[in-house]
């Protein structure tokens, strides 16, 4: 499914984000940037050592040696078909009163801005925070779609959501149907 929004396009796909041949895929990382499970594990497994080496260099130079949630950094795509990986850290769901929505929105906006500043034209996102970090899918889908749609009002870009399972895909589809 795809929809023209503002100056760009939002596309929804079901599948594995590590297969994407785009300018950049986005990783739902953790603050250590040292890899993990879920989509993070899959990206590092297929992307190879180079991505981890670059992450180590980045972390070394960050205050406190961690990447705060809502921020994004960029590495090469290593052995992946994607040219770059943008690593962002989603919020851990704590019931909704810990500014989770604001932080999740920041993940999308900072990743998109980073891509824009690199001159990238096509990005692919997973569903950030809705796995290990426990963010309810319907709520996360709303934040994700609205953030990207707002960004596309002023920016020309193709933004794919690559969603791993039917439930997640359907939640994003429902939200995308509602935006104009
Ligand atoms: N392609 C696309 N989506 C995927 C893939 C894949 N290959 N693998 C899993 N997903 P999660 P989070 C989906 O847990 O909630 C890691 O350990 C998954 O089904 O990967 O932000 C990090 O190191 C779900 O819909 O990310 C962090 O510690 C979505 O991706 C922590 O998990 C996000 O699930 C981050 O948790």
């Amino acid at each position: 499914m795809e929809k023209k929004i503002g100056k760009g396009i939002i596309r929804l796909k079901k599948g594995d984000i590590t297969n994407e041949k785009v300018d950049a895929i986005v990783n739902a990382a953790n603050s250590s940037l040292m890899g993990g499970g879920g989509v993070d594990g899959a990206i590092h497994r297929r992307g190879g050592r180079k991505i981890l080496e670059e992450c180590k260099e980045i972390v070394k130079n960050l205050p406190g040696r961690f990447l705060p949630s809502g921020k994004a950094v960029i590495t090469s795509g290593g052995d992946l078909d994607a040219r770059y990986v943008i690593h962002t850290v989603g919020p851990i769901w704590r019931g909704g009163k810990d500014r989770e929505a604001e932080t999740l929105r920041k993940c999308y906006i900072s990743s998109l801005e980073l891509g824009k500043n690199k001159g990238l034209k096509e990005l692919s996102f997973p569903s950030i925070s809705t796995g290990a970090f426990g963010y309810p899918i319907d709520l996360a889908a709303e934040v994700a779609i609205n953030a990207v749609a707002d960004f596309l009002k002023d920016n020309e870009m193709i933004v794919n959501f690559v969603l791993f399972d039917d439930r997640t895909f359907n939640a994003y589809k429902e939200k995308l149907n509602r935006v104009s």
Side-chain angles (χ1 to χ4, degrees):
M1 169 187 188
E2 71 173 50
K3 194 161 172 178
K4 236 182 140 294
I5 309 268
K7 297 182 173 173
I9 294 173
I10 296 182
R11 254 192 227 135
L12 305 185
K13 309 182 189 181
K14 221 168 64 189
D16 182 339
I17 201 166
T18 64
N19 292 325
E20 289 288 284
K21 295 182 176 69
V22 290
D23 296 324
I25 63 171
V26 177
N27 182 16
N30 60 61
S31 289
S32 77
L33 292 186
M34 290 299 107
V39 69
D40 194 10
I43 288 172
H44 280 282
R45 260 195 312 280
R46 280 197 66 183
R49 291 288 304 176
K50 186 156 187 280
I51 298 177
L52 189 63
E53 294 307 324
E54 289 177 48
C55 283
K56 281 184 182 163
E57 271 308 303
I58 291 169
V59 159
K60 244 179 23 192
N61 298 311
L62 291 173
R65 300 193 171 212
F66 78 105
L67 184 68
S69 51
K71 304 258 186 202
V73 297
I74 191 163
T75 65
S76 76
D79 299 333
L80 296 167
D81 288 328
R83 285 165 57 208
Y84 297 97
V85 177
I86 294 172
H87 306 260
T88 189
V89 183
I92 297 170
W93 180 256
R94 293 198 169 93
K97 297 206 168 88
D98 200 28
R99 298 188 172 205
E100 292 96 326
E102 193 183 313
T103 307
L104 186 59
R105 181 181 171 88
K106 278 192 196 161
C107 288
Y108 286 96
I109 299 294
S110 44
S111 299
L112 291 161
E113 291 288 352
L114 198 49
K116 176 187 169 178
N117 293 339
K118 278 262 177 199
L120 308 185
K121 298 283 176 226
E122 184 170 2
L123 260 56
S124 294
F125 283 92
S127 176
I128 298 166
S129 279
T130 64
F133 282 178
Y135 207 121
I137 292 173
D138 282 353
L139 299 181
E142 181 158 18
V143 172
I145 295 284
N146 286 341
V148 174
D150 288 347
F151 179 84
L152 292 179
K153 281 181 193 151
D154 300 318
N155 297 287
E156 197 182 321
M157 206 182 263
I158 299 171
V159 178
N160 306 296
F161 285 96
V162 183
L163 306 162
F164 216 39
D165 55 77
D166 285 329
R167 198 170 146 235
T168 308
F169 182 85
N170 289 334
Y172 279 71
K173 190 170 139 193
E174 196 182 301
K175 300 301 172 194
L176 185 57
N177 275 328
R178 287 168 198 264
V179 290
S180 48

